[in-house]
Amino acid sequence: MTHFRSLFLLRVINVVPDVFKRAALNTNLSFFLSHCQMGEFKVHRVRFFDYMPSAIRAMAFNSHTERLAVARADGAVEIFHFADNYFQEKVIPGRDRRAIEALCWVGHRLFSAGLDGEVTEYDLENLRARYSIEAYGGPIWAISSNSQGTLLAAGCEDGTVKMFEILEERIQFQRNLSRQNGRIISLSWHPSGALIAAGMMDMVRIFDTETGHATHRLLVERGVGASKSREVVVWSVAFLSDYTIISGDSVGKVQIWDGLTGTLIRTHLVTKWDVLALSISQDESSVIAGTSEGTIVQFQFISSTVGQQDKHWVRTRTFKNHSHDVRALVHTDTAVVSGGMDTQVVVRPLLDKVEKNTQESALRKIAFPHRSLVSCAKKTGLLLFQFPDHLELWRLGESDGNGTPGESLPVKRNPEKLIQLKRKGEDHICCSTLSPCGSWLAYSTVSSVCLYRLQLSSNNISIQKVSKLPKELRSVHQLCFSSDSSRLFASSSLSSVIVVALDQTECKYLHTLKHKSGSKQPIHILSPSEDGQWLATANTGCEIHVFNLRKMKLHCSVPAYSSCPTAVSIHPTSCNLLSVHADQQIFEFSLKQKEYTEWSRQLQRQGLHPLWLQRDTPITRVTFNPKNPAHIVLHDTFMFCIIDQSLPLPEPETKLYNQMLLRSLPQPLRLRESHAFKICKNYQHLLSVNLLEDLSLVVVERPLLDIMSQLPAPVRQKKFAT
Amino acid sequence: MGKTQRGKNASLQKKAERKKAANDFTLSLDSSDEEAPEEVTFEDSKAQAFQSLKQALDTARREKEQLREKRRKRQEFFQEQKKNKLLPADVLEEIDPTPLKKQKQSEDEAGEEAREEDGEKEEGHAKERKLPHDRTLKGSYTVTTVTEREAAHYQRQAAEDFIRSRLYGPGSCRSTSNELLSLQNKRGTNKGAAVQFVKKDWACKEKAKAEKLKKRWLHKQQMSSS
């Protein structure tokens, strides 16, 4: 009898977690009290931000500047700086009808081409498209430049390969190569610049660039069975300097051809689905192929027995980095970088090129943006979510009552969406912000800035657009309101900041703040101080400048540091500037003495804990606690941390994540063991952590599972025992 | 004919003989195993094959005819519909006199070579050199499209359709994200149920209808009791 009862009990216990999980997901908001070892916080756990990243369509790597350009399906272009801990430096927002199919670096210039039939050059200092020229060949499928950087070839839908001359400030159409009967899907120049291989339907054509005629035709076999009636698409080609051509097609083959004689050397059937992308390494000894299954296959030019001279292309490694199609690949000297329909950029270092078991050899997945898409009005508990085509304004819910730490509080009033604001025009939203009192809302695109006045009463909300904005507010990269909502700061071209005064209903241009360093890099962080005296700015040239707002001029510049700042903030009482950089370093600079503070020097002397330095997502926001001036609140995608400057810094040998340990110790021992970094990993994946005026934390989470469940269809793979 | 009869009779005879032989045998073997195949003459089989072929051809032809009939009827029906849908002929004439004009001009070109004609033609062309979507009417109004849809739009649409059909179209063997995640749950280290194991949003319309019926019934109950 007892035996049966205990079995029954066990089953009930198993059911409870599932029910609990479902309940938590249904209510999009639940309150938790979390004990962080120096106080208790009421936490608003927000999961109603339906952030959905866009699929990766193309990538291009510039090995001289170590920058990767990534083009997304919505037309946005992102630049990642590989040497600076893979920080996402710049984001050029997309446009409604821009559909990028290919990206190409020519020196320091970035070109793209897409289905709208235009070749676009980007201005990386002003974060917009510099110009677009129509190619008049229909949708463009591929662009590639020759190794000398003088010509740009574009493969078009109508079967022509169009050659453009690359001039100083623009590109100019030169001529067409001889027109073919099918669409040109992929292109590859021979390193000498004399030949071009073009992947088309059912074949690969080799063109002579001097005469423009097609010399060889390499016929690609169709599939077997049902796919014999469908044309084979050669999705990608690569032309090596020994005249070998490697092609990847829609049947799943990687074929190796001799470009001089036009014959097939070897076929490798790699997958049942398509081989969508190919990339060669710089020294041409390794080729990687990305498939629709999400796998990446590596071929290396090695001899089958060591010491012998005859080398072949041999299939060596297979990486399964993605769950969906891999549409873009880059082979750098030390790593394989891939991106596709699952929207993540994955960097897989090759273990024969880097040292094993070091920070360098770790797999990196960049899934979330390195900037904040959430603005919070601290005084009124409003949240503004930025989407590419609209903005959403939400009011947080309320709960009364207290509870013990870790408990979920009942929600008295649910969070509600107050406004959904659709943008005007075709350009996507670049940046948006909400004033701390919640009465002003501003957003900008590459072409214009829009400012709105909000009036919020207990059950009524009204929004009014401010019609006449100063003409200086044109192309703006970053927007920020001052803490008393009387000023709007906008970062503009040539690394300058525009200050605009806000009145009841109108807005007047006040001043343009400039710094003297001569850098033209865009400012990506703006942070005013609480008292309205200082404004800290940081640009992608790794410079931090502080302006005095009373005198409207430059106050000081923080000493140069090689890593780009990811979050900058000024302490409300002590007026110390705290900056966190892409390599996870933290600095504190005193604005009054114009030098690093003692705490910062001590931190540098002792060094940050190795686990802190090994984190692979950057800190995107720094805030302070009004009740306790020694606290600094930081967060990255996987944790949020409260640094207590009054406690000792952690030694490298001690445990960094010691909150659980401290909770288990009795009170007197806790003080001995605790250190300055209090890290909480309860909430993931974090998009934003803010501290409201009533000292409750707002944690905006976007679980990766929610994103993955809304991705497009992956291939159907039959696995054993399913 | 005699031959065919012979064939049949011969087989019957043979069967009778074999039965007798089988009865003599002590072993009880299945008669069909021992039986020699039936003798059928060449003409017989040829006639049969010919007949079946003819039948097949006939049915094919009949089916084609039926299909043709159906298609013709449909086409006629559509024509009727179109005619009924179109505006009356005179309104159309007003909106689009250009084809007639163009015809006239080409005739003129073919006939005359005088410069006055050229001058007139140029003037005519200049008047007509408007946006391709504009059409002047006899009255004082013009017809244009609301947004300029270039020819490039159709090409771009075709390109997008091409990519979509190659990657996600028929023959691409795709599954859903739900299935992918559910399989991960099933084969993972902590085995779990499928994602969206219980489908909460099933039969929403039926549920709404049931709700309404319930309300109506309760209301009726209240009315009848009061």
Side-chain angles (χ1 to χ4, degrees):
Chain A
M1 202 52 188
T2 47
H3 184 65
F4 169 77
R5 218 182 290 144
S6 66
L7 265 177
F8 181 72
L9 210 60
L10 254 164
R11 251 189 296 145
V12 168
I13 289 174
N14 272 339
V15 166
V16 166
D18 277 352
V19 169
F20 187 70
K21 212 196 308 183
R22 255 180 271 144
L25 281 175
N26 277 341
T27 69
N28 267 334
L29 165 67
S30 58
F31 278 84
F32 277 73
L33 270 183
S34 129
H35 191 126
C36 286
Q37 215 32 48
M38 77 303 298
E40 291 182 349
F41 289 98
K42 215 154 128 168
V43 177
H44 293 246
R45 195 171 178 182
V46 169
R47 284 205 210 160
F48 41 83
F49 182 15
D50 300 325
Y51 164 69
M52 198 58 204
S54 188
I56 294 175
R57 185 58 196 92
M59 296 201 296
F61 187 64
N62 186 340
S63 42
H64 300 290
T65 54
E66 296 256 344
R67 276 162 171 89
L68 180 78
V70 173
R72 300 228 175 215
D74 61 356
V77 175
E78 299 165 5
I79 311 277
F80 290 87
H81 191 176
F82 271 24
D84 192 10
N85 208 18
Y86 304 93
F87 178 54
Q88 186 190 55
E89 272 189 333
K90 300 175 181 168
V91 176
I92 302 176
R95 265 176 82 88
D96 263 346
R97 269 186 300 205
R98 189 194 288 163
I100 301 181
E101 286 290 314
L103 275 183
C104 176
W105 283 101
V106 177
H108 289 268
R109 300 160 76 173
L110 182 63
F111 293 91
S112 81
L115 297 181
D116 51 359
E118 295 179 346
V119 178
T120 307
E121 184 178 347
Y122 292 95
D123 182 352
L124 295 174
E125 284 164 4
N126 290 320
L127 299 184
R128 61 207 329 235
R130 192 170 269 152
Y131 58 81
S132 294
I133 81 169
E134 174 83 50
Y136 297 109
I140 303 179
W141 292 100
I143 50 168
S144 179
S145 79
N146 59 357
S147 47
Q148 295 85 21
T150 53
L151 290 175
L152 191 68
C156 304
E157 170 84 1
D158 64 352
T160 52
V161 175
K162 297 188 189 288
M163 306 288 263
F164 292 89
E165 225 179 293
I166 301 176
L167 304 170
E168 272 288 318
E169 291 292 312
R170 60 197 174 91
I171 56 174
Q172 188 174 292
F173 174 72
Q174 201 192 56
R175 64 198 163 106
N176 282 346
L177 299 184
S178 84
R179 184 173 170 159
Q180 303 299 310
N181 269 340
R183 53 170 66 94
I184 312 266
I185 300 275
S186 50
L187 281 181
S188 177
W189 285 85
H190 183 260
S192 68
L195 296 175
I196 291 185
M200 299 166 58
M201 310 288 287
D202 279 337
M203 65 175 104
V204 175
R205 279 278 198 192
I206 304 180
F207 291 91
D208 181 335
T209 45
E210 293 290 324
T211 61
H213 293 310
T215 50
H216 287 289
R217 190 171 64 158
L218 314 175
L219 290 171
V220 174
E221 252 178 46
R222 294 192 183 180
V224 288
S227 36
K228 200 139 178 94
S229 55
R230 266 208 318 184
E231 290 176 316
V232 151
V233 185
V234 179
W235 289 115
S236 178
V237 276
F239 212 146
L240 304 176
S241 44
D242 60 354
Y243 296 95
T244 316
I245 296 178
I246 305 186
S247 71
D249 57 39
S250 61
V251 176
K253 311 195 292 287
V254 171
Q255 289 184 301
I256 319 235
W257 311 80
D258 181 350
L260 287 171
T261 56
T263 54
L264 176 65
I265 300 177
R266 190 80 193 273
T267 303
H268 295 270
L269 184 64
V270 158
T271 169
K272 210 169 77 170
W273 290 275
D274 309 31
V275 169
L276 291 172
L278 281 180
S279 179
I280 342 171
S281 66
Q282 196 79 336
D283 55 357
E284 296 189 354
S285 65
S286 157
V287 162
I288 43 176
T291 69
S292 267
E293 292 178 277
T295 53
I296 296 163
V297 179
Q298 182 183 23
F299 293 88
Q300 284 179 297
F301 196 50
I302 47 182
S303 54
S304 29
T305 48
V306 174
Q308 274 198 1
Q309 284 302 91
D310 58 335
K311 290 188 177 185
H312 306 284
W313 284 99
V314 178
R315 176 175 173 174
T316 49
R317 296 187 187 105
T318 306
F319 303 108
K320 180 131 170 61
N321 292 340
H322 298 269
S323 54
H324 288 65
D325 309 40
V326 173
R327 297 196 78 189
L329 269 185
V330 160
H331 198 318
T332 63
D333 283 335
T334 53
V336 164
V337 185
S338 53
M341 302 302 285
D342 65 353
T343 74
Q344 298 179 7
V345 176
V346 175
V347 182
R348 186 81 188 77
L350 294 167
L351 293 178
D352 54 346
K353 299 279 192 323
V354 295
E355 246 184 77
K356 252 196 277 198
N357 294 329
T358 56
Q359 175 69 347
E360 265 188 320
S361 64
L363 175 74
R364 299 190 72 115
K365 289 195 181 189
I366 304 171
F368 289 96
H370 290 176
R371 57 192 50 221
S372 188
L373 296 174
V374 177
S375 308
C376 178
K378 294 191 186 182
K379 298 178 188 161
T380 46
L382 293 174
L383 286 178
L384 182 71
F385 297 144
Q386 178 183 323
F387 292 87
D389 57 346
H390 69 279
L391 296 173
E392 285 182 6
L393 185 72
W394 287 74
R395 174 164 42 201
L396 287 169
E398 260 175 32
S399 157
D400 46 331
N402 302 298
T404 57
E407 193 188 287
S408 186
L409 294 176
V411 176
K412 183 177 77 175
R413 184 189 61 179
N414 275 332
E416 53 174 318
K417 185 184 333 191
L418 299 175
I419 296 174
Q420 178 157 328
L421 192 63
K422 206 158 141 49
R423 66 163 152 83
K424 293 209 169 59
E426 291 190 336
D427 295 308
H428 290 182
I429 295 178
C430 174
C431 60
S432 62
T433 184
L434 197 58
S435 68
C437 59
S439 47
W440 295 93
L441 192 162
Y443 74 86
S444 83
T445 62
V446 287
S447 44
S448 63
V449 176
C450 293
L451 181 64
Y452 293 86
R453 183 107 172 89
L454 292 171
Q455 253 118 19
L456 202 62
S457 57
S458 57
N459 50 359
N460 203 3
I461 179 153
S462 75
I463 180 166
Q464 201 186 7
K465 181 164 174 173
V466 175
S467 44
K468 275 206 282 272
L469 291 175
K471 60 178 173 11
E472 287 84 358
L473 280 183
R474 287 259 75 203
S475 69
V476 153
H477 321 302
Q478 193 63 257
L479 284 171
C480 189
F481 285 99
S482 63
S483 54
D484 58 358
S485 308
S486 65
R487 303 265 186 275
L488 173 63
F489 305 107
S491 84
S492 179
S493 56
L494 295 179
S495 213
S496 61
V497 180
I498 296 179
V499 183
V500 156
L502 299 172
D503 207 353
Q504 272 298 316
T505 43
E506 61 164 17
C507 124
K508 218 174 48 155
Y509 165 74
L510 279 185
H511 196 83
T512 304
L513 297 167
K514 292 199 185 106
H515 62 81
K516 290 185 231 91
S517 74
S519 163
K520 294 194 216 134
Q521 294 296 318
I523 292 180
H524 65 297
I525 303 178
L526 284 173
S527 178
S529 63
E530 282 287 320
D531 54 7
Q533 189 179 8
W534 312 104
L535 175 69
T537 66
N539 67 12
T540 53
C542 308
E543 300 172 351
I544 303 178
H545 301 286
V546 183
F547 294 92
N548 185 331
L549 291 173
R550 305 267 161 79
K551 299 184 199 154
M552 287 293 187
K553 55 198 261 283
L554 179 69
H555 172 77
C556 65
S557 302
V558 175
Y561 182 62
S562 54
S563 176
C564 196
T566 62
V568 166
S569 193
I570 302 180
H571 197 285
T573 48
S574 67
C575 283
N576 289 336
L577 179 98
L578 198 92
S579 65
V580 186
H581 297 254
D583 58 355
Q584 317 291 8
Q585 287 291 336
I586 305 176
F587 293 99
E588 196 185 22
F589 188 81
S590 162
L591 292 178
K592 301 216 170 90
Q593 276 93 37
K594 297 193 190 175
E595 58 178 19
Y596 288 116
T597 61
E598 185 48 47
W599 182 82
S600 181
R601 284 180 214 272
Q602 195 199 351
L603 184 64
Q604 288 306 304
R605 266 196 303 264
Q606 187 164 335
L608 283 161
H609 196 283
L611 283 180
W612 178 269
L613 294 173
Q614 277 168 22
R615 291 178 306 109
D616 54 0
T617 52
I619 303 271
T620 51
R621 192 187 294 267
V622 174
T623 40
F624 300 97
N625 187 349
K627 201 172 75 168
N628 191 336
H631 284 174
I632 308 169
V633 182
L634 321 159
H635 79 92
D636 73 359
T637 311
F638 296 104
M639 62 102 203
F640 78 87
C641 172
I642 298 187
I643 300 181
D644 190 338
Q645 288 180 308
S646 58
L647 288 176
L649 296 167
E651 300 282 327
E653 311 85 46
T654 58
K655 226 166 121 84
L656 182 67
Y657 305 105
N658 63 349
Q659 290 302 298
M660 297 288 283
L661 175 68
L662 288 177
R663 226 170 290 175
S664 61
L665 289 177
Q667 184 66 26
L669 278 177
R670 271 188 204 170
L671 210 54
R672 206 178 56 184
E673 292 291 318
S674 56
H675 60 68
F677 284 68
K678 322 260 175 214
I679 299 177
C680 172
K681 289 184 148 208
N682 286 349
Y683 313 110
Q684 297 187 3
H685 299 257
L686 294 172
L687 288 180
S688 172
V689 170
N690 285 291
L691 201 54
L692 297 179
E693 226 175 32
D694 61 356
L695 299 180
S696 52
L697 270 174
V698 177
V699 163
V700 180
E701 291 174 280
R702 181 61 172 161
L704 203 57
L705 201 62
D706 291 352
I707 294 179
M708 287 207 62
S709 57
Q710 289 179 47
L711 289 175
V715 294
R716 177 185 299 275
Q717 287 187 311
K718 187 83 182 67
K719 295 244 189 260
F720 181 70
T722 54
Chain B
M1 183 101 155
K3 284 188 198 156
T4 54
Q5 289 292 355
R6 195 206 4 112
K8 246 199 217 166
N9 282 343
S11 64
L12 281 173
Q13 270 177 9
K14 277 222 168 117
K15 256 199 201 159
E17 278 175 19
R18 256 176 259 119
K19 267 215 174 112
K20 263 201 260 164
N23 287 337
D24 290 343
F25 270 115
T26 47
L27 300 165
S28 52
L29 288 163
D30 200 1
S31 61
S32 62
D33 279 350
E34 279 198 77
E35 229 172 47
E38 275 185 30
E39 243 186 59
V40 180
T41 56
F42 184 64
E43 261 84 42
D44 209 358
S45 60
K46 193 159 103 177
Q48 226 175 26
F50 187 65
Q51 211 176 19
S52 62
L53 197 68
K54 210 165 69 168
Q55 253 180 4
L57 282 172
D58 273 338
T59 44
R61 202 185 319 133
R62 223 177 305 133
E63 276 180 21
K64 246 195 251 176
E65 294 241 358
Q66 272 180 354
L67 221 76
R68 214 179 292 154
E69 263 304 308
K70 228 203 266 183
R71 248 184 264 140
R72 193 165 57 76
K73 282 220 181 76
R74 254 181 159 201
Q75 183 74 5
E76 274 180 21
F77 176 64
F78 283 147
Q79 296 275 13
E80 279 297 320
Q81 228 182 28
K82 185 169 178 179
K83 234 194 327 182
N84 294 343
K85 241 185 153 182
L86 284 179
L87 300 162
D90 50 358
V91 181
L92 271 181
E93 166 66 30
E94 239 189 57
I95 293 176
D96 198 4
T98 39
L100 299 169
K101 244 200 220 168
K102 281 213 177 103
Q103 247 183 11
K104 249 201 238 162
Q105 279 185 350
S106 60
E107 281 173 19
D108 286 338
E109 269 181 44
E112 310 282 328
E113 282 167 304
R115 248 184 242 142
E116 301 106 37
E117 285 290 329
D118 281 353
E120 248 185 1
K121 256 191 285 146
E122 270 190 28
E123 213 185 310
H125 277 296
K127 247 198 281 178
E128 287 199 343
R129 209 177 291 122
K130 294 183 189 62
L131 291 172
H133 308 280
D134 272 357
R135 288 168 181 180
T136 35
L137 304 173
K138 286 201 182 123
S140 58
Y141 46 93
T142 55
V143 176
T144 63
T145 52
V146 174
T147 52
E148 289 295 319
R149 278 282 186 92
E150 318 89 15
H153 175 82
Y154 298 102
Q155 270 188 321
R156 187 209 162 109
Q157 195 66 35
E160 282 175 3
D161 289 341
F162 162 71
I163 269 208
R164 204 178 308 125
S165 74
R166 288 317 293 232
L167 290 181
Y168 296 100
S172 54
C173 297
R174 296 265 166 181
S175 128
T176 58
S177 277
N178 190 328
E179 203 175 305
L180 181 75
L181 293 173
S182 304
L183 281 179
Q184 276 178 7
N185 277 356
K186 182 171 181 178
R187 297 175 91 238
T189 41
N190 303 331
K191 313 236 185 276
V195 169
Q196 209 182 32
F197 184 62
V198 170
K199 199 169 171 202
K200 295 221 172 66
D201 52 350
W202 61 284
C204 346
K205 288 206 187 90
E206 280 85 339
K207 279 189 189 157
K209 211 162 128 188
E211 217 23 69
K212 259 193 249 168
L213 278 173
K214 188 161 96 176
K215 272 199 198 145
R216 215 182 295 162
W217 186 83
L218 282 171
H219 187 72
K220 220 195 295 179
Q221 288 292 312
Q222 271 183 349
M223 297 296 281
S224 60
S225 65
S226 64

